[in-house]
Amino acid sequence: MTGCGELSANKTSDRGIDSKELLELQAGIWVDPNGCDHWIIDDGLEGYLSARLDRKTGKPVCSGIAAPTQTTGEFKGGATTIIGDIF
C-alpha cells in the first residue's frame, strides 16, 4: 500500500527515476469516445491524463482534432531514456 500514500502536496514535479518539472513534458491530445479532448503525456513508467477544458466556461473541449479513441501530438516526448518505451 505504500504506492497509494501521498508523498507531497506539490504535484508540479515528477519525482521518478528521470525526475523533472511537469512543464518540461510534451502533451498530446487523446480524443475520448464522445469526441472530447484530453491532455495526455507518456513519461515512460508514468502517464498523465486530464480533460481539456475551456478556460472561460470550464466546459470540455471537443475540437475534432482526431477521431474518437485516437491520439495526436508528440505526447511520448517525455519518455525516459533510462528505461525506454517498451511498446
Side-chain angles (χ1 to χ4, degrees):
M1 297 307 291
T2 58
C4 297
E6 184 172 328
L7 299 176
S8 169
N10 180 1
K11 305 293 184 220
T12 62
S13 190
D14 168 14
R15 291 172 208 48
I17 295 170
D18 61 337
S19 61
K20 64 180 94 41
E21 295 296 315
L22 295 182
L23 290 174
E24 295 178 35
L25 300 174
Q26 178 70 38
I29 297 175
W30 171 72
V31 181
D32 69 21
N34 295 321
C36 295
D37 301 355
H38 298 263
W39 296 113
I40 184 171
I41 299 172
D42 178 357
D43 189 26
L45 288 178
E46 301 143 330
Y48 306 90
L49 178 74
S50 66
R52 185 175 176 202
L53 304 175
D54 183 280
R55 291 182 183 190
K56 293 181 182 178
T57 66
K59 293 182 178 181
V61 173
C62 305
S63 68
I65 195 166
T69 71
Q70 300 298 306
T71 57
T72 185
E74 297 295 321
F75 64 95
K76 290 187 178 187
T80 176
T81 57
I82 296 169
I83 298 171
D85 190 353
I86 60 171
F87 299 106

